Amino acid sequence: MKYIDEYRDGRLAKDIALQITAAANPAHSYHFMEFCGGHTHAISRYGLEDLLPSNVRMIHGPGCPVCVLPIGRIDAAIALAMRPEITLCTYGDLMRVPGSNGSSLLKAKAAGGDIRMVYSTLDALRIAEAEPDREVVFFAIGFETTTPPTALALRFAIDKGLRNFSIFCNHVLTPAAIQNILESPDVRKLGTVKIDGFIGPAHVSTVIGTEPYEFFAEEFQKPVVVAGFEPLDVIQAILMLVRQVNDGRHEVENQYIRAVTAFGNEKAQAEVANFFELRESFEWRGLGEVPYGALRLRPQYAIYDAEKRFGMVTPAAKDNPACECGAILRGVKKPADCKLFGTVCTPDTPMGSCMVSSEGACAAHWTYGRFREHAKAREAGRAVA
Amino acid sequence: MNVMMKTYRRKLDLKNGRVDLSHGAGGRAMGQLIEGIFHRAFDNEWLRAGNDQSAFTVPGGRMVMTTDGYVVSPLFFPGGNIGSLAVHGTINDIAMAGARPLYLSASFIIEEGFPLADLDRIAETMGAASREAGVPIITGDTKVVERGKADGVFISTAGVGMVPAGLDLRANAARPGDAVIVSGSIGDHGVAVMSKRENLEFDTDIVSDSAALHGLVAAMVEGGGQHIRLMRDPTRGGIAATLNEIANQSHIGFRIDEDAIPIKPEVAAACEFLGLDPLNVANEGKLVAVVAPEGKDRVFAAMRAHSLGGEAALIGHVVEDDNCFVQMATSFGGGRIVDWLSGEQLPRIC
């Protein structure tokens, strides 16, 4: 696969790993958080951890839009989908996300809700056009990457004069959440973890650019490297972070120069700004209320806003109290530290947000990496349940 | 009698006709559908006898029997359709015991309104697949359900076969040190089907690998049958599910090598684009064999010499592991688990 295999070259990876080992000061430990679940997935899937020296540790951040969607929003979507006039369209990986009392969109579909899996916002638009008697609601979710397609769907809906199409907006923002990890009140409650730098998601920066992280890097004196999702991208970003830490720098660097620029895609940003505005606060599952961490439709587009159009309410719902997602999302704990991990909470029966989507820290560790605990335990001569 | 039939029965309009409830009601229309489509397509001496069952003789020894339901969507895909799949899948389930398949049955549940032309095409493909495999469909059943109560056509096939003397393949037979061999490139069927799914159509040259594997199995048994511990066809869930099943049933682990697993570039590209892992994608013409180390070269050579095993690859070996993990050395130089799929494989949003 041209343009993909080049970024999965094992020999080159070993070479960069050697450079990391040579650069990393053995007297220090380095803790880097990859914010985005896409990076977590890449690290786990390619076994990147095995290539890093023991004093360079990766901390898996909260960056999976499916994981951070609170239970109440899922409950609200299910309640909407069970109304007879509604067709709810959504991306596939939302279907299994647990709501309250073991519910999910997949179960609501089996119970008779008209819930359809789509691959793009345009599919939802096509359904609205083809079935004018149905109220078609697109369950919009995702970071800055998936917001422009939602804006585009709204643009098309207006141009086509579609009156049976609306958006249930759950778009969230990356920089606000990264900031929240370091300064929210919960940090004091859960304890802090040493984070020496961040890997920022390249797909987000293709839209917003690298510039929005400048303030963050300066304010918190933490280096940020915006990186792609191929394993070589990630390992190169780690080398760049190690070098920044060694040099005492805290800059925003761009590893993904093949697509990311300082100011991003300004046309897409303008389209998003046209339709959306900041929410003062929005609950992130596992992180709690994140100030200015999400978007909603602007008042002039209220007719396309499913929350207003159908008087949707988001019921209060809490995660299992034994769930350690809050601490795991902030890197304070590792997935295997949670009592629920691998017992009642697995990808087949996810309890907490980190296990919900394949990109969540717990799901990635369960699916790709849990053999490591057993290997360590075997070496230490003890059994692991 | 022939004159009466010609006078009173409706002509089966294979071009524009559709299945209606009368085709499943047990009357003349049903007889006409069975005779005009299924008997014609499957033609053999047992069906021609016109009984509700078929008597057949079997040689002495251990028999195997299997049954499977086919509900694929879409019904037609590059490289086959639900009919060929229903023949190949059941033959392969028999063949994985090392057995020689002898006879098949076929049962159809058809949705009212289904085009006769499509049914005819499916039956023709089934008949051709069965003839090519040398495994006749000797009995069957037809039901028609109201519109909306099925998805076009569902097919169930059952089959019987005979196990060669001295061969006893069991799911719990894998032992540390055994070799793991896959008969060819993986994921072709799943990608071919997905390429024609509604809302997901994409251009690809990939065709389903759907094929009857009993010829390949016979060659393997002849080449080194006593060394084969077990075989599985990695259908739904792909080779990931197959290896995990075997690991749990044999209470062992696997170490496999990502670089050794044959995957066509087009399949890898489609999986990349869809966010899927080719190890989880279905196959319909491949097998995974676990072979004792002393016989692996003979079995491997026999596979390579057969047309359906020309791309066979040694992908790893069995290890002791109480956790029954399937571990893989990634092409990137790290390690990971290859796990079962959780639920259905669903596309990720980003």
Side-chain angles (χ1 to χ4, degrees), chain B residues 330-347:
Chain B
T330 72
S331 51
F332 195 68
R336 63 168 260 206
I337 285 185
V338 175
D339 208 358
W340 308 83
L341 192 61
S342 294
E344 195 184 347
Q345 232 182 2
L346 299 172

Side-chain angles (χ1 to χ4, degrees), chain A residues 340-357:
Chain A
L340 303 184
F341 179 80
T343 52
V344 292
C345 186
T346 70
D348 293 318
T349 54
M351 303 289 289
S353 58
C354 308
M355 192 64 93
V356 167
S357 125

Side-chain angles (χ1 to χ4, degrees), chain A residues 1-9 12 16 39 42 46 201-203 205-207 210 225-237 240 253-262 264, chain B residues 272 332:
Chain A
M1 285 180 290
K2 185 90 178 132
Y3 307 122
I4 290 190
D5 289 342
E6 293 89 331
Y7 302 101
R8 295 178 186 174
D9 183 333
L12 198 49
I16 297 174
H39 287 138
Y46 296 96
H203 61 351
S205 284
T206 57
V207 178
T210 57
V225 174
V226 172
F229 295 93
E230 292 302 330
L232 274 185
D233 292 326
V234 180
I235 200 163
Q236 188 185 21
M240 292 164 79
E253 289 185 316
N254 180 12
Q255 181 276 333
Y256 202 71
I257 49 172
R258 57 192 189 271
V260 166
T261 60
Chain B
E272 192 66 34
F332 195 68

Side-chain angles (χ1 to χ4, degrees), chain A residues 62 64-72 74 97-100 282-290 318-320 323 325-326 329 350-354 356:
Chain A
C64 162
V66 175
C67 297
V68 298
L69 191 70
I71 289 179
I74 295 286
V97 180
S100 294
F282 188 76
E283 186 192 347
W284 285 47
R285 194 173 190 174
L287 286 186
E289 291 292 328
V290 175
K318 293 239 176 293
D319 274 314
N320 186 316
C323 176
C325 280
L329 289 171
M351 303 289 289
S353 58
C354 308
V356 167

Side-chain angles (χ1 to χ4, degrees), chain B:
Chain B
M1 182 66 183
N2 281 341
V3 173
M4 290 282 284
M5 288 291 283
K6 276 176 186 166
T7 306
Y8 290 106
R9 75 177 173 186
R10 260 182 327 181
K11 194 164 184 278
L12 208 54
D13 181 359
L14 287 178
K15 195 171 171 198
N16 300 307
R18 289 181 178 271
V19 173
D20 61 46
L21 290 173
S22 72
H23 287 118
R28 187 177 286 121
M30 184 167 149
Q32 188 186 20
L33 181 86
I34 292 170
E35 193 182 317
I37 291 187
F38 299 129
H39 283 196
R40 186 168 55 78
F42 305 161
D43 183 45
N44 57 55
E45 62 189 280
W46 294 271
L47 287 179
R48 261 178 259 133
N51 295 314
D52 278 345
Q53 73 295 116
S54 286
F56 51 85
T57 51
V58 290
R62 291 176 63 235
M63 278 187 84
V64 292
M65 178 178 177
T66 187
T67 182
D68 211 343
Y70 297 85
V71 293
V72 64
S73 174
L75 295 170
F76 298 90
F77 48 82
N81 62 47
I82 188 171
S84 50
L85 205 62
V87 169
H88 293 153
T90 295
I91 286 177
N92 292 347
D93 283 348
I94 294 168
M96 291 309 109
R100 184 167 71 88
L102 296 173
Y103 304 103
L104 298 175
S105 74
S107 173
F108 292 78
I109 294 173
I110 311 165
E111 186 182 12
E112 177 189 21
F114 191 71
L116 284 173
D118 287 351
L119 187 63
D120 191 44
R121 213 171 127 202
I122 290 167
E124 283 291 342
T125 315
M126 265 180 107
S130 130
R131 276 189 295 279
E132 193 182 333
V135 187
I137 300 165
I138 63 169
T139 187
D141 183 48
T142 305
K143 295 283 188 296
V144 178
V145 295
E146 286 175 28
R147 189 184 282 269
K149 292 194 172 172
D151 188 12
V153 173
F154 299 149
I155 302 177
S156 287
T157 47
V160 293
M162 298 302 301
V163 184
L167 200 66
D168 188 9
L169 308 187
R170 288 168 191 261
N172 62 358
R175 297 286 173 268
D178 289 350
V180 184
I181 307 174
V182 63
S183 65
S185 64
I186 61 161
D188 299 15
H189 174 74
V191 166
V193 169
M194 275 184 270
S195 75
K196 295 297 165 205
R197 283 232 166 113
E198 200 181 354
N199 291 338
L200 198 64
E201 289 184 33
F202 54 90
D203 286 331
T204 176
D205 295 331
I206 288 291
V207 297
S208 168
D209 61 349
S210 182
L213 293 170
H214 58 309
L216 173 64
V217 168
M220 292 166 70
V221 169
E222 195 182 329
Q226 71 275 27
H227 301 296
I228 301 172
R229 306 275 201 210
L230 62 97
M231 287 183 283
R232 278 285 163 81
D233 55 339
T235 52
R236 272 183 309 168
I239 66 166
T242 295
L243 293 176
N244 275 286
E245 274 171 20
I246 297 169
N248 280 282
Q249 287 164 337
S250 289
H251 204 73
I252 46 86
F254 285 104
R255 289 277 164 83
I256 59 171
D257 180 2
E258 187 171 24
D259 280 336
I261 300 170
I263 303 175
K264 292 193 173 104
E266 303 93 310
V267 170
C271 287
E272 192 66 34
F273 148 69
L274 295 169
L276 307 176
D277 189 336
L279 302 178
N280 294 126
V281 176
N283 311 275
E284 289 293 345
K286 298 293 170 350
L287 65 83
V288 171
V290 176
V291 185
E294 61 272 23
K296 79 171 186 217
D297 291 339
R298 286 175 61 188
V299 173
F300 186 65
M303 291 174 81
R304 281 286 183 125
H306 192 275
S307 60
L308 292 176
E311 294 174 357
L314 282 153
I315 63 165
H317 61 280
V318 177
V319 293
E320 263 184 59
D321 186 350
D322 283 343
N323 295 303
C324 306
F325 287 148
V326 179
Q327 292 186 49
M328 182 165 80
T330 72
S331 51
F332 195 68
R336 63 168 260 206
I337 285 185
V338 175
D339 208 358
W340 308 83
L341 192 61
S342 294
E344 195 184 347
Q345 232 182 2
L346 299 172
R348 286 155 44 196
I349 73 162
C350 65

